[in-house]
Amino acid sequence: MQQKIKLLEDHIQKSDEELQSYVQFYHDSVMEFQDTVNTLKGESKRRALHEPVEDMPLEFWSLDGWSLEKKISTDDAMLLREKVWKRDRGIRDTYITCKEQSEQEVISAFLRLTFSSTSFYGDDTRLGFTSYLYHALHQSGIHAFLDDEFIRIGENITPALFEAIQESRIAIIVFSENYANSTFCLQELEKILECFKEESRLIYAVFYYVDPSELRRPRGSYAKALARLEKRFKDNRLKVEKWRLALSQAAELKGCHLKPKIANEQECITRITKEIAAKINQQRLHITDYQVGLVPRAKEVISCLDLWSTEEKKMIGIWGAGGIGKSTIARAVYNSIADNFEGSCFLSNVRKHSENPTGLSHLQETLLRTLVKEKDLRLGDYHEGIPIIEHRLSKRKILLILDDVDKSEQLKALAGSSNWFGCGSRIIITTRNKKLLVSHGVTSIYDVKELDDKESLKLLSWHAFEKENMDSNYIEACNRAINYSCGFPLVLEVIGSNLRGEGVNLWNSALDQFKSIPHESILGAFKLSYDTLEEVEKQVFLDLACFFNGEKLALVNDMLQSVRGIRLEYAIKVLIDKSLIKIERDCVTIHDLIEDTGKEIVRQESPYEPGGRSRLWFYKDILHVLQQDTGTHQIEAIVLDLPEIIEIQWSGEAFTKMKNLKMLVIRKACFSECPKFIVNCSNHLTRHFTI
């Protein structure tokens, strides 16, 4: 006891004012507890309810002569247990223990209470406004929790509470007069701002008889609280400055402001509940079964949106090849940030819907029906819908996502300009065509990157084995699949789903087949980009895919310019913008899957006879055509690259049928005799061979 008294005296000497505030706050809490009990007693009598609650121990309510009749409704009993028993048992026990002791011993006991188990700073509203708001949310079907549902360790946020904050969709913060007295509340505020700003989730502020300006430039109780904290943490001023900054940021949050002598608390609770319910009830999108590698990519897109800039109207693009996950990322972003807007709309498969003659007008109708509840609107032409969208949405803060856009007229019809929409609006466009975004004035473009090997392995394992780690027997086959996939989520999903439950031998056999002939789903995803090309661009792409992956751009330019007779800079730029090729270190690089798609397009020109195809690159097919004399006028280019130098028994007579042959490249080959007919096959023939 002497040691405790000495500790108490040290505290008093250090800050008598601070101790007195603790004592006053203690007494206020006891009085609030008494008021709550009396209120519920009166309500119980008013209702004349006679249902006994047997699990409420009578001795619990014998606090300093107070008593509570056992004839109380079950709902009220639940409220008492939840809001009084759990939170105020510490006060009751401390009060009973100390009521006959000296003032110093009372203060010492209260200090033990506040510094070890439960923090009461900022709890002005806990048994009143916040409690009623909590139950109003629950009655509206909204799963809510109070921070006191998690055990506090002294003044620090517990891992359980931190996890709950991270998993919450919306945070409601009630700022009261004594809020800043609690270091726990300030830590919690700092953590909420950090987590929610990073993922752009909604924070709803309730200023409970506190003006936001008191937080922005601390004055009144907030100024006093921060002054006390600066004394208390004089060796860690940075901590207090972070709290000061957090309060300043919180002052800018939107929500509800209860003003003295004006506010009707019940009406405010009803309004808050309706607004939160409206946000919660917004449609959520299914993202994907396995969200491997998705969160960091979605966060990168969100960071491009500058959501904390509430006046700016912004358009951004998500650009990448087919099957790389653009739409999946867009859905994840939508679910994460939609609550921040007055209305939100996700228009999926814009390209596909626009193929219908009335597709664009139907998309406009969907947009208006979703954002302004215009159910009966019927548009005859999309030009009719443009001024309606501008007029109806020019004052609204909306989120609009246009998924899989491939033509400029789609953008002109649905989001011709960011000025169509209200301040704070954000428009996200996913596309395979970077040029489309640039032409529309979009300056912020997110280039979707492939999954790395670790992410690819995890995603493949989930699809194939429905768990994070695969059996050791499959490691080699999975590594083959990962190399083949090039980090494209779609490919990993196709492989895993098709080979689920199969043995290792079948895995290897299937991967061999996929390499020779791509799976239909994979081919379809990449062929969509090819189909949007002009004819010259298609021919250049097929040349690059079949012959020049990894070659120096200067060499490719020279050879194809002599073959095609045109300059290729523009065609190359188009292929880059449509994510079909890249230029890295002055070399043409193409994903193996996209290369395989190009080769498969050529193979399908004549599936069973290589002589009927426009390009030949596989040495066995070439030798077959030359030795079996099956060449035709369809053949435009041949690149023969043998695995080793061998002698070919061939005179070149097969070239007589190749009237359109424009390019011939032969490496590592010797001929039994000089080919006699090559020189007559084309005026534009490029010859590189060994005799």
Side-chain angles (χ1 to χ4, degrees):
M1 179 62 71
Q2 292 298 323
Q3 183 179 0
K4 293 178 181 178
I5 294 174
K6 179 65 170 63
L7 176 63
L8 175 63
E9 290 173 345
D10 291 342
H11 276 292
I12 293 174
Q13 185 177 358
K14 181 178 179 181
S15 177
D16 182 70
E17 181 184 352
E18 185 175 4
L19 287 173
Q20 291 302 320
S21 70
Y22 292 158
V23 174
Q24 183 61 46
F25 195 73
Y26 156 68
H27 287 301
D28 291 346
S29 297
V30 172
M31 294 304 295
E32 188 173 25
F33 174 74
Q34 182 181 8
D35 291 343
T36 301
V37 172
N38 289 336
T39 299
L40 289 170
K41 283 174 61 180
E43 180 66 17
S44 178
K45 289 179 180 179
R46 188 182 66 79
R47 297 182 188 176
L49 298 173
H50 303 286
E51 181 183 352
V53 182
E54 299 299 337
D55 59 345
M56 293 290 289
L58 182 61
E59 61 272 15
F60 178 78
W61 304 111
S62 60
L63 179 57
D64 194 31
W66 301 340
S67 63
L68 180 66
E69 296 177 357
K70 294 180 67 176
K71 294 178 181 179
I72 187 171
S73 74
T74 302
D75 288 343
D76 285 342
M78 186 179 300
L79 178 63
L80 282 169
R81 284 197 302 272
E82 195 167 33
K83 297 302 165 195
V84 180
W85 194 0
K86 179 172 61 178
R87 289 294 294 158
D88 293 347
R89 190 168 185 177
I91 290 179
R92 187 202 70 143
D93 292 343
T94 303
Y95 183 84
I96 291 174
T97 301
C98 300
K99 64 181 179 179
E100 301 298 331
Q101 296 177 356
S102 67
E103 184 179 357
Q104 279 196 336
E105 289 174 332
V106 171
I107 295 172
S108 179
F110 186 70
L111 283 173
R112 288 198 302 272
L113 173 68
T114 56
F115 285 122
S116 63
S117 60
T118 309
S119 173
F120 288 87
Y121 320 132
D123 283 346
D124 323 49
T125 67
R126 181 128 354 236
L127 299 178
F129 180 85
T130 304
S131 176
Y132 299 137
L133 174 59
Y134 172 80
H135 281 273
L137 291 170
H138 267 280
Q139 289 170 4
S140 296
I142 299 170
H143 175 62
F145 72 87
L146 290 169
D147 56 14
D148 66 347
E149 295 180 15
F150 299 87
I151 299 173
R152 299 183 182 186
I153 303 174
E155 298 178 322
N156 296 317
I157 295 179
T158 65
L161 178 55
F162 181 43
E163 182 179 351
I165 290 172
Q166 288 183 309
E167 293 178 354
S168 296
R169 184 171 169 183
I170 295 176
I172 305 173
I173 307 175
V174 181
F175 294 101
S176 59
E177 182 180 1
N178 291 305
Y179 184 91
N181 286 331
S182 170
T183 57
F184 182 94
C185 290
L186 293 172
Q187 288 184 63
E188 189 179 27
L189 172 64
E190 184 182 0
K191 188 59 65 176
I192 288 173
L193 290 174
E194 176 187 326
C195 292
F196 277 57
K197 184 175 181 180
E198 182 181 3
E199 299 184 16
S200 298
R201 285 172 285 163
L202 179 64
I203 304 175
Y204 191 99
V206 179
F207 298 99
Y208 186 77
Y209 303 124
V210 171
D211 194 278
S213 63
E214 295 182 42
L215 283 68
R216 188 179 298 110
R217 293 182 179 177
R219 55 187 174 84
S221 63
Y222 281 78
K224 292 177 182 178
L226 289 171
R228 285 195 296 269
L229 290 171
E230 285 177 345
K231 292 179 181 179
R232 182 178 169 189
F233 296 102
K234 62 182 180 180
D235 296 329
N236 191 359
R237 291 292 182 90
L238 180 60
K239 176 183 288 190
V240 181
E241 286 304 312
K242 286 183 177 179
W243 292 338
R244 189 185 296 274
L245 176 61
L247 289 170
S248 177
Q249 291 176 338
E252 307 303 326
L253 295 172
K254 292 186 177 180
C256 179
H257 182 193
L258 284 79
K259 298 180 180 180
K261 300 180 181 180
I262 298 177
N264 182 314
E265 292 192 10
Q266 187 56 52
E267 290 180 359
C268 290
I269 288 173
T270 301
R271 171 191 156 193
I272 294 168
T273 303
K274 287 182 178 179
E275 290 183 9
I276 297 299
K279 297 294 185 182
I280 292 292
N281 292 336
Q282 289 187 118
Q283 183 179 3
R284 306 277 280 185
L285 304 175
H286 173 68
I287 300 175
T288 183
D289 291 336
Y290 308 113
Q291 299 186 21
V292 177
L294 182 59
V295 171
R297 289 164 175 80
K299 286 183 177 179
E300 288 174 351
V301 172
I302 291 172
S303 69
C304 298
L305 290 168
D306 298 327
L307 289 177
W308 286 71
S309 175
T310 57
E311 296 301 317
E312 185 180 10
K313 311 165 187 177
K314 189 165 186 177
M315 269 189 197
I316 75 162
I318 301 177
W319 168 61
I324 203 167
K326 301 182 297 299
S327 299
T328 304
I329 293 171
R331 289 195 296 271
V333 171
Y334 179 90
N335 282 357
S336 181
I337 70 174
D339 294 334
N340 290 277
F341 299 86
E342 296 173 11
S344 55
C345 179
F346 189 105
L347 293 179
S348 60
N349 298 317
V350 171
R351 172 191 53 79
K352 184 176 181 180
H353 289 302
S354 300
E355 292 172 355
N356 188 297
T358 59
L360 284 177
S361 58
H362 285 166
L363 286 170
Q364 290 176 328
E365 292 169 6
T366 302
L367 188 155
L368 290 166
R369 186 166 55 248
T370 303
L371 293 177
V372 294
K373 312 304 178 187
E374 189 68 71
K375 298 180 180 179
D376 299 324
L377 180 67
R378 294 292 181 269
L379 299 173
D381 182 82
Y382 78 84
H383 293 93
E384 181 183 346
I386 290 175
I388 297 176
I389 294 174
E390 287 187 80
H391 176 69
R392 299 297 299 275
L393 298 178
S394 61
K395 302 298 183 183
R396 298 202 68 198
K397 178 186 176 183
I398 62 100
L399 169 66
L400 174 61
I401 297 184
L402 305 177
D403 176 51
D404 194 16
V405 174
D406 71 337
K407 289 185 173 61
S408 60
E409 69 174 6
Q410 296 159 5
L411 293 178
K412 292 175 182 177
L414 300 169
S417 166
S418 57
N419 291 326
W420 286 15
F421 311 101
C423 293
S425 294
R426 297 294 185 268
I427 298 89
I428 301 174
I429 304 160
T430 75
T431 183
R432 303 166 185 233
N433 189 353
K434 185 178 181 180
K435 182 64 169 20
L436 193 67
L437 298 171
V438 174
S439 299
H440 200 63
V442 178
T443 57
S444 181
I445 301 174
Y446 178 73
D447 183 2
V448 182
K449 302 301 181 186
E450 303 83 1
L451 299 178
D452 61 32
D453 288 349
K454 185 177 180 180
E455 292 170 328
S456 297
L457 184 60
K458 186 181 294 186
L459 183 59
L460 177 63
S461 183
W462 277 114
H463 282 296
F465 308 105
E466 297 183 304
K467 57 184 181 180
E468 188 169 332
N469 300 306
M470 85 263 326
D471 297 335
S472 57
N473 295 336
Y474 287 86
I475 290 178
E476 185 177 345
C478 285
N479 285 333
R480 281 191 63 195
I482 290 168
N483 290 333
Y484 172 74
S485 74
C486 300
F488 281 73
L490 171 66
V491 181
L492 293 164
E493 179 182 351
V494 169
I495 294 173
S497 300
N498 279 275
L499 298 180
R500 181 180 299 168
E502 304 294 351
V504 175
N505 290 336
L506 192 61
W507 271 65
N508 287 318
S509 175
L511 290 170
D512 289 339
Q513 179 176 316
F514 288 165
K515 182 64 179 173
S516 300
I517 304 175
H519 188 278
E520 183 177 351
S521 298
I522 299 172
L523 179 65
F526 295 119
K527 193 172 182 295
L528 283 174
S529 297
Y530 171 82
D531 290 339
T532 65
L533 299 174
E534 300 295 335
E535 187 58 35
V536 171
E537 296 154 4
K538 287 181 177 180
Q539 298 306 315
V540 172
F541 168 71
L542 294 179
D543 288 338
L544 297 178
C546 293
F547 306 126
F548 298 114
N549 192 4
E551 297 286 353
K552 287 288 186 181
L553 178 61
L555 172 64
V556 173
N557 261 323
D558 290 343
M559 293 192 69
L560 291 187
Q561 186 171 337
S562 66
V563 169
R564 299 294 170 192
I566 58 172
R567 295 177 61 86
L568 300 180
E569 286 85 351
Y570 179 74
I572 295 291
K573 179 67 166 56
V574 170
L575 297 178
I576 292 172
D577 287 342
K578 296 199 174 183
S579 302
L580 289 170
I581 70 170
K582 295 181 180 179
I583 304 299
E584 296 178 346
R585 297 180 180 179
D586 296 325
C587 292
V588 176
T589 60
I590 308 175
H591 276 296
D592 291 346
L593 285 167
I594 298 178
E595 176 187 324
D596 291 345
T597 298
K599 290 179 176 179
E600 178 60 15
I601 291 171
V602 173
R603 192 191 70 83
Q604 289 182 358
E605 294 172 351
S606 178
Y608 304 108
E609 175 48 61
R613 301 170 192 166
S614 61
R615 294 159 180 82
L616 297 176
W617 63 90
F618 185 45
Y619 77 95
K620 290 184 178 180
D621 289 341
I622 296 171
L623 294 181
H624 165 81
V625 169
L626 297 181
Q627 294 174 346
Q628 302 299 320
D629 193 18
T630 58
T632 67
H633 69 282
Q634 300 292 337
I635 299 175
E636 298 179 6
I638 297 175
V639 175
L640 177 59
D641 193 354
L642 295 168
E644 58 183 355
I645 297 178
I646 60 176
E647 182 176 303
I648 300 174
Q649 302 296 323
W650 165 63
S651 66
E653 187 173 350
F655 282 114
T656 57
K657 298 179 181 179
M658 304 180 194
K659 304 297 184 182
N660 292 314
L661 184 64
K662 297 178 176 64
M663 181 174 68
L664 174 64
V665 178
I666 301 177
R667 306 187 185 102
K668 297 180 184 176
C670 294
F671 297 94
S672 56
E673 57 182 298
C674 179
K676 302 174 183 177
F677 300 96
I678 293 180
V679 294
N680 298 320
C681 63
S682 175
N683 293 329
H684 303 290
L685 183 61
T686 301
R687 300 179 295 275
H688 297 275
F689 57 90
T690 302
I691 299 179

